[in-house]
Each structure stands twice: as structure tokens, then as C-alpha cells.
């Protein structure tokens, strides 16, 4: 297990800062900050990519019944001791043998110190472990992050990181009278909805039982709603700034700059900052900004339009990067084509457009790709297990009554009714492979590696275009996927010169990072979300009176 927690723990007079993830790695941020009143908050509670990379693969994940204990053994999850006492769901502890409970001691009951988890944005490396938290810990996030959480809740599979965040199904049943956990596994009647407090950006609110005053400000990152926090202890006056993931070259650069200015004016004692790109050589193939990405896409698409024979344009980008999808949309419209996206992407775009976060996309011009599932006949029942497709088409066809068939109770607990959704791909915006196959000149389609089997139906004309619009592979597993992607593209005759990489990062460049730190000028800085935190020691920050502290996993710091 991780190193012992220092003796300073549980001294409520001081502010303590403790890092349980994001230390020496990119992502998996899990930070505990305590207030002078003895209460505390979590800053994100994300899943560590490093744990996946080191131990897991598609065929091996933490076991559902043992998820806490597997997670703690692999040091993905911190033990629920000290300030973290009681942070996990009690149903995940229920019915465990004494040996296991002795190895990972916990006290029955509610969180002792932690009152809220503050969410900076909704990537899995920031929220992917929230599903395991005790429901008394309130999710505190902006309205936009709430919108993204609702999108994730409705469109992801039940076993994904995101499925248990807004609500979850208790693993075991609990007797309402005695609070005893039975051996029966939970059912739909045991669905627990978490408390969520949506806050308005730029408006101070209090949390940690009035221990902290906090302000959330939106910044710039490859995700809608991303932002950072300014936090002030109401008794001690200690001030902490947490950047979350940030950049200064995206479409929301002005927001990032306002955050940096506000952080400077705040005169913080502590800055917790990301450093994803600090040690990387400037990525030569990357474009400097999102507008530059859009300009290059438009240039390439116009070039394709000049070709005599019909060519399909396919691409891959991060499916939550609405700004990148917008760049593809604009480039697509500029050549009179139609953008085809997956159901998840459509759902997120539509929500963001409805919430006026995006004003320059007409979603009636988007089409949603309908892959073959189960029978391969595009039958509505084929999509019952695909929450993304089911929800998108259900909303669009809401005038068609939804038929409900009760499956009836089986042995043991009564089963919830199975819902038969009416999915009609011919309605409004669904598109099948054959339509694209018959008129490839008309479409630009999002087709990531994991969906490339669709090429077997779409049959793109030889010499079609494939645009990779995401970060280059950074580990062995991604390298292997990259090789497979190339095999697919070769198989379907996407020529080498027609494979393009057009991307800019979601993270701040080293020069911008240095400038940001020097502008904010905190007393202390804790670099996280980086594999090369020692690079922060080479910035000459000590000469400016800024102490660089490279945090250690699990260690508690008095601030
Ligand atoms: Zn991150």
C-alpha cells in the first residue's frame, strides 16, 4: 500500500492538502483539501489512466463486487482513513469477509470530513472514480458540467466510468428498517440519486460546511464546461487555486486569461496546476490553435472537392471535444457536404446548442450514423442495449408512443420492466451505411478506430481521406491500436498522402504554462497531471519566491 499518512492528519486547525492521484502521471486527479473548521473537500476524483495501462485491458477490469478492494490494492483508490474516512459507498463494503475488511479498515457510516467533491470538468481522469463515493458527498459543479454529466448518464453503458455518477444501483439491498445489508443484489428499486449542487461560474459560494468560500471560473480545454477553482479558507484565510486542465490556444482563450488574471488578483498561497505538456518537445505536427485546425480542415476539404472521382472523408477526434466537432462541421459545410457523427456526439452537441454554448451549428444539418447491431436488420430491438442510439432516436421520435413490455418477475427480486424503444432510422436524421456508400461525395463521417468495421458496409472509394484529429499515441497499447488503424486504412485503400493528422492539444504549452505561473505568482506550487514534474524546478521559480513542491502520493502537506 502507499506510504503511511503523516502525523499531521486530523489536526483540524491547519489546512491540509493531500494527493491521491495525478502525481507523476497524467490524469487520475484525486486531491483532498481540508478547512480550518475540520471539514474538507475533494478536488476531482478521477480514474488513473496509468492503472489501466499498467494492469488492465479490455478483458480485465476491477471486479464489480470487489471494486474498492481491487482499486485500493492497485493504489488506484486511497484507503478510507484519516480525512477520507467514510468516503466510499457502504454497499461496496457489504458482505465482505473479515480478512478483507481487516486489510482495508473502515468505519461504518458516513463521510467524517469530506462534504463535497468539486468537479473541474468531466473527463474520466477527473470524475471516473466518483461512482464509488458515498452518496452523502455532494457533487459540486457548474451548470455546464451538470449538462455533460446528464449526457454521460444517459448515453454511456452501464459498466462505464460515467454510469454511476449521477445515480447508481446499490450493489446489495439494504433493509429500510434495520439498515442491514442483505445478500440479495440490488435492483432498480435501489437506485440512489446523488446530491448535485450546480453553481454559477464567477459567483462565490461556500462549501465544506461554511469552511471554504469558492469560485468556479470556466477556462479553455477540449471539453465543454472545463474550469478551475479559487478557494479561500474562511477562518485561516489560506487561498488555493486549482487550474484543472487548461490551455490558452483554444476557442475559449479569453476565459482562460480571465481565470489567470483572477487567480493573480486572488494572490494565492498555493497553486495546484496541470503540467501535461511540460516535458514534451513541442509537437511538430500539431497546429497552434483551434482556428488553425479549422482552417487546415477547410483547406483539405476544398482540395478534395476538386478531385474528379468521388472521395469519402472520414475522421477521428475526441468525442467530447465539441470545439473540434464544430471545426469539422464548419469545414464540412464550407464544401456543401453533410457531417455524420455518432449518437453520443450528436447528443452532446445538441445539448450544448440547446444550452446556447454553441451558436454556430445547425443541428438539423447533422446526421447520426446508425451501425448494424445484433440482427443486422436495423430492427428497433437491436438497439435496446445501446443507450446512446436509443436515447437520441427516442427523443427525436417522441411523437411515436413507446411500447413497454413487462418481462415479469423472475426468481428472487422483481425485475424492472424492459422498455422497447421505437427507433426509426428513416426518421429525420439517422443514416445507414448504404446511403453513404451510394453518395460518398456528400459526406464527412466521424469513424474512429473502434468503428472501422463499418468500412465493410460503407466501402469507401479507393483514395478516400482519413483525418486523425487527436493526440499521437503515447503508450504501447495505443501504438498497437495505431498499427491496426493503419491496417484498416491500407485494406480500404486510403492512400498514404490522403491520411492527415490535423490536431491541437487540449493542454497548455510550456511557454504558456511558465507565463501563467509567473503571472499568478503563488507562494507555493504543486505540479500534478504530469509525468515530468521535475521540469517545474527548471523554470527559475525559486528566484521569484515561488516554492515548487513536487507532491508525493498520499503524503499530507500543511499549507
Ligand atoms: Zn485530465
Amino acid at each position: 500500500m502507499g506510504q503511511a499518512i503523516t502525523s499531521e492528519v486530523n489536526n483540524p486547525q491547519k489546512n491540509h492538502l493531500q494527493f491521491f492521484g495525478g502525481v507523476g502521471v497524467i490524469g487520475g486527479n484525486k486531491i483532498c483539501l481540508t478547512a480550518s473548521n475540520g471539514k474538507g473537500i475533494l478536488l476531482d476524483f478521477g480514474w488513473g489512466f496509468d492503472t489501466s495501462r499498467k494492469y488492465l485491458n479490455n478483458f480485465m477490469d476491477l471486479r464489480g463486487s470487489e471494486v474498492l478492494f481491487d482499486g485500493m490494492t492497485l493504489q488506484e483508490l486511497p484507503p478510507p482513513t484519516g480525512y477520507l474516512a467514510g468516503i466510499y459507498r457502504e454497499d461496496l463494503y457489504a458482505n465482505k469477509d473479515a480478512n478483507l475488511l481487516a486489510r482495508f479498515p473502515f468505519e461504518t457510516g458516513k463521510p467524517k470530513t469530506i462534504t463535497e467533491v468539486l468537479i473541474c470538468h468531466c473527463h474520466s481522469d477527473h470524475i471516473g472514480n466518483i461512482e464509488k463515493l458515498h452518496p452523502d458527498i455532494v457533487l459540486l459543479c457548474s451548470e455546464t458540467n451538470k449538462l455533460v454529466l446528464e449526457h454521460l448518464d444517459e448515453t454511456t453503458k452501464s459498466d462505464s466510468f460515467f454510469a454511476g455518477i449521477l445515480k447508481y444501483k446499490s450493489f446489495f439491498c439494504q433493509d429500510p428498517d434495520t439498515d442491514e445489508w442483505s445478500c440479495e443484489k440490488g435492483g432498480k428499486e435501489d437506485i440512489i440519486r446523488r446530491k448535485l449542487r450546480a453553481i454559477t461560474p464567477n459567483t462565490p459560494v461556500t462549501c465544506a460546511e461554511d469552511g471554504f468560500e469558492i469560485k468556479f471560473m470556466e477556462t479553455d480545454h477540449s471539453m465543454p464546461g472545463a474550469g478551475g477553482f479559487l478557494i479561500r479558507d474562511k477562518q485561516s484565510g489560506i487561498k488555493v487555486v486549482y487550474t484543472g486542465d487548461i490551455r490558452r490556444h483554444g476557442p475559449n482563450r479569453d476565459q482562460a486569461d480571465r481565470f489567470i488574471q483572477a487567480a493573480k488578483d486572488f494572490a494565492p498561497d498555493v497553486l495546484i496546476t496541470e503540467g501535461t505538456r511540460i516535458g514534451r518537445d513541442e509537437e511538430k505536427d500539431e497546429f497552434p490553435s483551434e482556428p488553425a485546425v479549422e482552417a487546415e480542415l477547410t483547406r483539405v476539404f476544398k482540395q478534395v472537392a476538386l478531385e474528379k472521382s468521388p472521395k469519402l472523408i472520414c475522421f477521428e477526434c475526441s468525442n467530447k471535444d465539441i470545439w473540434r466537432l464544430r471545426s469539422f462541421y464548419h469545414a464540412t459545410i464550407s464544401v456543401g457536404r453533410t457531417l455524420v457523427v455518432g449518437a453520443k456526439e450528436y447528443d452532446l452537441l445538441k445539448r450544448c446548442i440547446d444550452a446556447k454554448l454553441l451558436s454556430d451549428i445547425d443541428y438539423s444539418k447533422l446526421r447520426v450514423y446508425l451501425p448494424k447491431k445484433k440482427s443486422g436488420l436495423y430492427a428497433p430491438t437491436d438497439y435496446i442495449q445501446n443507450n446512446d442510439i436509443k436515447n437520441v432516436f427516442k427523443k427525436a421520435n417522441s411523437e411515436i408512443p413507446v411500447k413497454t413490455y413487462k418481462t415479469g418477475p423472475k426468481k428472487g427480486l422483481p425485475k424492472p420492466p424492459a422498455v422497447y424503444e421505437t427507433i426509426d432510422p428513416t426518421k429525420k436524421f439517422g443514416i445507414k451505411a448504404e446511403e453513404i456508400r451510394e453518395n460518398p461525395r456528400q459526406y464527412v463521417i466521424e469513424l474512429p478506430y473502434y468503428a472501422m468495421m463499418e468500412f465493410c458496409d460503407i466501402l469507401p472509394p479507393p483514395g478516400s481521406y482519413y483525418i486523425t484529429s487527436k493526440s499521437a499515441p503515447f503508450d504501447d497499447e495505443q501504438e498497437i491500436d495505431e498499427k491496426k488503424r493503419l491496417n484498416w486504412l491500407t485494406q480500404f485503400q486510403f492512400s498514404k498522402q490522403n491520411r492527415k493528422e490535423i490536431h491541437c492539444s487540449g493542454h497548455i504549452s510550456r511557454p504558456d504554462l511558465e507565463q501563467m505561473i509567473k503571472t499568478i505568482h503563488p507562494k507555493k506550487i504543486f505540479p500534478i497531471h504530469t509525468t515530468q514534474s521535475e521540469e517545474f524546478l527548471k523554470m527559475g521559480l525559486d528566484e521569484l519566491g515561488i516554492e515548487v513542491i513536487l507532491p508525493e502520493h498520499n503524503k499530507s502537506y500543511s499549507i
Side-chain angles (χ1 to χ4, degrees):
M1 298 304 299
Q3 77 179 77
I5 294 160
T6 71
S7 57
E8 289 173 304
V9 164
N10 288 339
N11 177 352
Q13 310 313 319
K14 289 182 178 174
N15 297 96
H16 293 274
L17 190 55
Q18 209 165 348
F19 299 85
F20 302 102
V23 175
V25 291
I26 291 170
N29 292 13
K30 290 180 276 291
I31 306 161
C32 170
L33 177 65
T34 63
S36 302
N37 68 353
K39 291 296 171 185
I41 54 176
L42 296 170
L43 302 173
D44 291 336
F45 206 66
W47 172 265
F49 297 137
D50 222 43
T51 299
S52 300
R53 190 160 47 236
K54 274 160 82 177
Y55 302 111
L56 309 174
N57 72 13
N58 288 346
F59 305 102
M60 183 170 60
D61 203 351
L62 307 187
R63 297 165 294 175
S65 63
E66 312 299 310
V67 70
L68 284 186
F69 305 94
D70 291 350
M72 287 190 273
T73 304
L74 299 180
Q75 295 193 48
E76 169 59 24
L77 294 174
T81 52
Y83 297 125
L84 301 190
I87 61 162
Y88 295 124
R89 282 164 43 184
E90 291 174 89
D91 60 303
L92 297 177
Y93 277 110
N95 301 323
K96 295 289 173 278
D97 66 64
N99 174 285
L100 209 53
L101 296 178
R103 274 169 56 209
F104 300 103
F106 84 110
E107 297 165 51
T108 317
K110 302 182 173 209
K112 286 243 166 78
T113 306
I114 302 297
T115 51
E116 287 101 352
V117 54
L118 276 54
I119 296 171
C120 72
H121 68 278
C122 297
H123 277 139
S124 61
D125 61 319
H126 296 258
I127 62 170
N129 275 317
I130 288 179
E131 57 162 351
K132 299 161 190 105
L133 290 178
H134 195 288
D136 279 5
I137 296 176
V138 176
L139 314 187
L140 202 155
C141 67
S142 69
E143 284 287 352
T144 302
N145 279 319
K146 181 179 168 217
L147 172 154
V148 179
L149 288 174
E150 287 166 349
H151 153 75
L152 294 170
D153 186 66
E154 288 181 27
T155 58
T156 48
K157 286 185 191 164
S158 58
D159 60 352
S160 95
F161 292 121
F162 306 117
I165 296 181
L166 288 185
K167 63 178 190 298
Y168 66 91
K169 197 163 75 173
S170 184
F171 201 83
F172 290 105
C173 292
Q174 192 173 21
D175 186 308
D177 299 322
T178 64
D179 281 354
E180 288 292 311
W181 295 99
S182 83
C183 286
E184 298 280 9
K185 282 193 70 178
K188 208 164 193 171
E189 62 276 22
D190 288 307
I191 283 185
I192 291 154
R193 287 180 190 280
R194 292 182 192 277
K195 296 165 203 153
L196 184 147
R197 186 174 159 208
I199 55 172
T200 309
N202 309 320
T203 308
V205 295
T206 58
C207 64
E209 295 186 4
D210 212 31
F212 288 127
E213 182 181 79
I214 61 158
K215 187 158 80 169
F216 176 78
M217 293 185 73
E218 292 193 332
T219 57
D220 187 16
H221 182 47
S222 52
M223 177 87 179
F229 287 95
L230 310 185
I231 303 162
R232 185 176 64 84
D233 187 295
K234 291 182 76 175
Q235 286 176 27
S236 70
I238 285 281
K239 289 179 276 186
V240 176
V241 170
Y242 175 44
T243 64
D245 289 356
I246 191 169
R247 65 179 171 183
R248 291 185 65 240
H249 55 266
N252 298 312
R253 177 185 177 138
D254 55 336
Q255 289 187 168
D257 285 346
R258 276 199 291 274
F259 170 78
I260 293 166
Q261 184 59 41
K264 173 183 189 270
D265 297 342
F266 193 56
D269 299 281
V270 168
L271 173 66
I272 305 166
T273 181
E274 73 130 312
T276 313
R277 291 170 69 197
I278 190 170
R280 293 187 194 166
D281 295 332
E282 276 315 299
E283 293 93 331
K284 292 183 191 67
D285 299 332
E286 289 215 354
F287 284 77
S289 68
E290 194 60 42
V293 167
E294 185 181 319
E296 178 63 4
L297 290 174
T298 306
R299 190 190 69 76
V300 171
F301 289 11
K302 286 190 169 160
Q303 206 178 31
V304 180
L306 298 175
E307 294 200 22
K308 285 204 181 78
S309 58
K311 299 282 162 61
L312 182 63
I313 302 174
C314 309
F315 71 96
E316 173 167 22
C317 73
S318 158
N319 66 358
K320 297 183 196 73
D321 188 348
I322 58 167
W323 322 111
R324 184 60 44 81
L325 287 164
R326 182 176 68 175
S327 295
F328 273 98
Y329 172 83
H330 286 164
T332 302
I333 293 291
S334 77
V335 291
R337 291 195 181 214
T338 302
L339 186 65
V340 181
V341 295
K344 274 193 188 63
E345 292 75 354
Y346 178 86
D347 183 83
L348 183 60
L349 282 172
K350 186 170 182 303
R351 284 173 199 259
C352 291
I353 294 163
D354 290 346
K356 305 206 176 349
L357 300 172
L358 286 173
S359 57
D360 46 1
I361 295 184
D362 176 355
Y363 62 76
S364 68
K365 291 190 173 151
L366 296 172
R367 305 288 295 272
V368 176
Y369 185 73
L370 199 66
K372 285 179 181 170
K373 297 281 179 189
K374 288 190 172 174
S375 75
L377 299 172
Y378 299 103
T381 43
D382 289 348
Y383 299 96
I384 274 180
Q385 282 161 359
N386 296 92
N387 287 342
D388 50 355
I389 294 173
K390 204 170 67 176
N391 279 311
V392 163
F393 284 91
K394 185 173 120 188
K395 279 182 207 158
N397 297 328
S398 55
E399 71 273 16
I400 303 168
V402 173
K403 297 175 192 168
T404 304
Y405 297 102
K406 290 211 169 195
T407 55
K410 288 189 181 170
K411 263 202 281 181
L413 294 168
K415 284 267 177 195
V419 178
Y420 174 97
E421 313 289 359
T422 304
I423 294 166
D424 182 354
T426 61
K427 281 263 172 194
K428 294 178 182 166
F429 56 83
I431 186 165
K432 298 179 192 171
E434 63 188 52
E435 252 184 278
I436 298 168
R437 186 172 65 232
E438 282 161 15
N439 194 5
R441 211 191 272 277
Q442 182 54 41
Y443 300 104
V444 172
I445 176 172
E446 183 200 16
L447 215 92
Y449 161 64
Y450 62 80
M452 282 185 172
M453 199 62 81
E454 300 303 321
F455 281 147
C456 300
D457 287 334
I458 294 171
L459 299 176
S464 285
Y465 284 71
Y466 195 89
I467 294 160
T468 306
S469 192
K470 51 184 258 185
S471 13
F474 58 86
D475 63 33
D476 295 349
E477 208 164 311
Q478 289 185 8
E479 291 282 1
I480 292 168
D481 282 353
E482 185 58 24
K483 282 182 187 150
K484 290 180 186 172
R485 180 207 311 273
L486 283 178
N487 290 341
W488 276 101
L489 296 178
T490 306
Q491 173 72 19
F492 285 92
Q493 299 178 54
F494 287 77
S495 59
K496 208 169 180 184
Q497 69 269 23
N498 293 354
R499 297 177 211 151
K500 312 274 182 195
E501 286 176 18
I502 306 175
H503 178 59
C504 73
S505 173
H507 298 278
I508 193 163
S509 66
R510 180 171 180 144
D512 280 349
L513 178 64
E514 279 201 43
Q515 194 193 334
M516 177 182 83
I517 296 166
K518 288 172 183 171
T519 302
I520 296 175
H521 207 284
K523 290 184 187 138
K524 294 176 187 172
I525 172 175
F526 289 85
I528 56 162
H529 204 287
T530 173
T531 53
Q532 285 162 294
S533 50
E534 68 284 353
E535 289 291 321
F536 282 80
L537 298 169
K538 301 174 188 167
M539 288 180 178
L541 297 174
D542 50 342
E543 289 158 28
L544 300 170
I546 302 171
E547 184 187 358
V548 180
I549 302 172
L550 306 185
E552 291 175 40
H553 196 81
N554 277 8
K555 186 173 171 183
S556 177
Y557 297 88
S558 292
I559 54 169

